[in-house]
Amino acid sequence: MRVSKEELFNLMKDKLQKAGLKEDAAADISDVLTFADHRGIHSHGAVRVEYYAERIAKGGITNNPEYKFEKTGPSTAILDGDNGPGHQVAKQGMERAIEIARDNGVAVVGMTNISHSGALGYFVEEAAKQDMVAISVCQSDPMVVPFGGTDPYFGTNPIAFSAPTNDERIITFDMATTVQAWGKVLDARSKGNDIPDTWAVNDKGEPTTNSRDVHALVPVAGPKGYGLMMMVDILSGSLLGLPHGVHVSSMYKDLSAGRQLGQLHIVINPAYFTDVDAFKQQLSVMLDELKEQTPAPGFTEVNYPGERGKLRADKYDEEGIEIVDEIYDYLVSDDIHFDRYHEKNRFAE
């Protein structure tokens, strides 16, 4: 099934409003989800709506949150999300961070007590569009075995980075600290596909290709990914006075319960360090030089971070965004509650 960007946005927004969200919150979530699907990151797009709607309808996300923003220093702040939609909280946190960085050169804004916020690339790109450099990190619930361990302890704990150039290109790097994001497993499940044996392990700690037999994911690059996910957990959890590691609340077990997730935005204003135009020009030259590289065997060209997503977006603008039929059927239906959600998406226990 292929749909236009506008149709997908409206379908998701309507569904989330039916679940109980106010229009502005539903629009903010749908904007982030559409960003993901439009770039082919289907693991963080419409596949998530069923989960969000179920949690919203069951009270696990505050429908009318009272956000509290507190400046804690010239360049630092905390935004308490009151268990509201993480996408909206993270979006507002980035808007505040950009304002602070514009005035003070750098901003570090922590967001506390939020729900799942989706693709972090969305938020850092918002900063890059305003000639800022941004990093965002976010903790998640335990689903990854530590290097050398057998039981889940940390989450996929993603990291995103974005920077502007002097043309329409934006450098955007967005990754989970696992070999693959949990959302990719969900995407494989929704399509009935297997997964590579390098993504995850079963309950015996053995590599598995069965997307429904996943007990835990594994860190990217072994001890290096393990160290990165610990760093993210500290920056977006312990640093903000929130639960850490194995104590982070589950995404799927109790959809009626609120969560205490944390996220941290770091925004840097290049104007406080160098000439902005020269900085952006240098990054454009960097990308041009990378494109001039001779491709390795099996490759047609060297892509810069974020380029493949931009190419998919251009293709989807012409052909429509590809959505799994089951997900489309859910979006156009009147159904909200799917009590089978936990069973369908949980880890093998």
Side-chain angles (χ1 to χ4, degrees):
M1 173 66 67
R2 290 187 180 273
V3 298
S4 69
K5 182 179 176 182
E6 292 73 23
E7 180 184 1
L8 181 61
F9 171 85
N10 288 324
L11 284 172
M12 294 190 291
K13 176 173 169 284
D14 290 345
K15 181 66 72 173
L16 294 170
Q17 284 186 262
K18 289 177 182 178
L21 277 188
K22 296 175 68 175
E23 184 175 4
D24 63 332
D28 283 342
I29 293 178
S30 300
D31 200 27
V32 180
L33 298 182
T34 303
F35 169 90
D37 271 325
H38 188 225
R39 285 157 180 76
I41 312 170
H42 299 300
S43 60
H44 286 67
V47 69
R48 300 278 183 166
V49 175
E50 183 182 349
Y51 161 74
Y52 294 142
E54 183 72 5
R55 183 173 279 279
I56 292 162
K58 288 186 173 180
I61 294 177
T62 305
N63 290 344
N64 192 24
E66 295 183 6
Y67 301 144
K68 296 179 182 178
F69 181 77
E70 178 186 2
K71 284 286 297 292
T72 58
S75 297
T76 58
I78 295 289
L79 176 59
D80 188 325
D82 190 28
N83 191 46
H87 312 69
Q88 185 173 60
V89 181
K91 185 175 182 179
Q92 292 190 14
M94 182 55 77
E95 290 169 356
R96 298 279 194 159
I98 292 170
E99 292 174 2
I100 293 171
R102 184 173 290 116
D103 294 335
N104 296 294
V106 66
V108 182
V109 175
M111 289 134 287
T112 65
N113 302 315
I114 70 174
S115 59
H116 189 259
S117 63
L120 301 192
Y122 173 94
F123 309 109
V124 293
E125 279 204 11
E126 290 300 294
K129 291 174 184 176
Q130 299 194 43
D131 287 348
M132 303 284 179
V133 175
I135 298 170
S136 186
V137 295
C138 184
Q139 63 177 181
S140 61
D141 47 322
M143 57 181 71
V144 188
V145 290
F147 182 70
T150 57
D151 295 316
Y153 188 87
F154 288 116
T156 57
N157 294 4
I159 303 171
F161 167 85
S162 195
T165 68
N166 72 341
D167 48 58
E168 76 283 356
R169 294 175 295 183
I170 296 177
I171 300 168
T172 302
F173 176 69
D174 187 353
M175 62 164 277
T177 50
T178 47
V179 171
Q180 196 52 269
W182 172 238
K184 293 290 187 179
V185 176
L186 291 186
D187 190 42
R189 286 183 179 182
S190 71
K191 297 174 180 176
N193 293 339
D194 287 339
I195 59 174
D197 63 5
T198 55
W199 286 13
V201 294
N202 59 24
D203 58 3
K204 297 178 182 178
E206 302 166 336
T208 182
T209 59
N210 187 337
S211 60
R212 296 189 175 278
D213 192 31
V214 173
H215 176 63
L217 302 176
V218 295
V220 63
K224 296 178 181 179
Y226 170 46
L228 284 173
M229 66 180 57
M230 179 183 287
M231 179 193 75
V232 171
D233 191 81
I234 292 170
L235 290 175
S236 58
S238 300
L239 184 66
L240 305 180
L242 297 172
H244 68 275
V246 73
H247 304 285
V248 176
S249 62
S250 170
M251 188 168 184
Y252 301 104
K253 284 186 177 178
D254 184 357
L255 300 186
S256 66
R259 307 189 69 197
Q260 289 182 290
L261 293 181
Q263 188 165 341
L264 190 78
H265 294 324
I266 301 171
V267 177
I268 301 169
N269 185 345
Y272 280 72
F273 299 89
T274 187
D275 179 79
V276 176
D277 290 335
F279 171 71
K280 294 166 61 180
Q281 174 63 20
Q282 187 178 72
L283 296 192
S284 288
V285 171
M286 180 190 297
L287 299 190
D288 291 340
E289 291 173 344
L290 289 169
K291 299 302 291 183
E292 292 170 359
Q293 286 243 346
T294 301
F299 293 85
T300 58
E301 62 177 345
V302 175
N303 295 119
Y304 64 85
E307 183 179 11
R308 287 184 294 176
K310 176 63 167 60
L311 293 173
R312 283 190 291 265
D314 292 342
K315 179 180 179 181
Y316 283 155
D317 284 339
E318 295 180 2
E319 302 176 359
I321 299 173
E322 186 177 4
I323 300 297
V324 175
D325 288 349
E326 180 185 5
I327 295 173
Y328 181 82
D329 291 342
Y330 169 71
L331 292 177
V332 298
S333 74
D334 292 327
D335 293 320
I336 294 296
H337 297 286
F338 277 77
D339 290 333
R340 61 187 172 85
Y341 191 91
H342 172 264
E343 179 63 27
K344 186 173 70 172
N345 294 298
R346 67 178 175 82
F347 285 124
E349 295 174 345

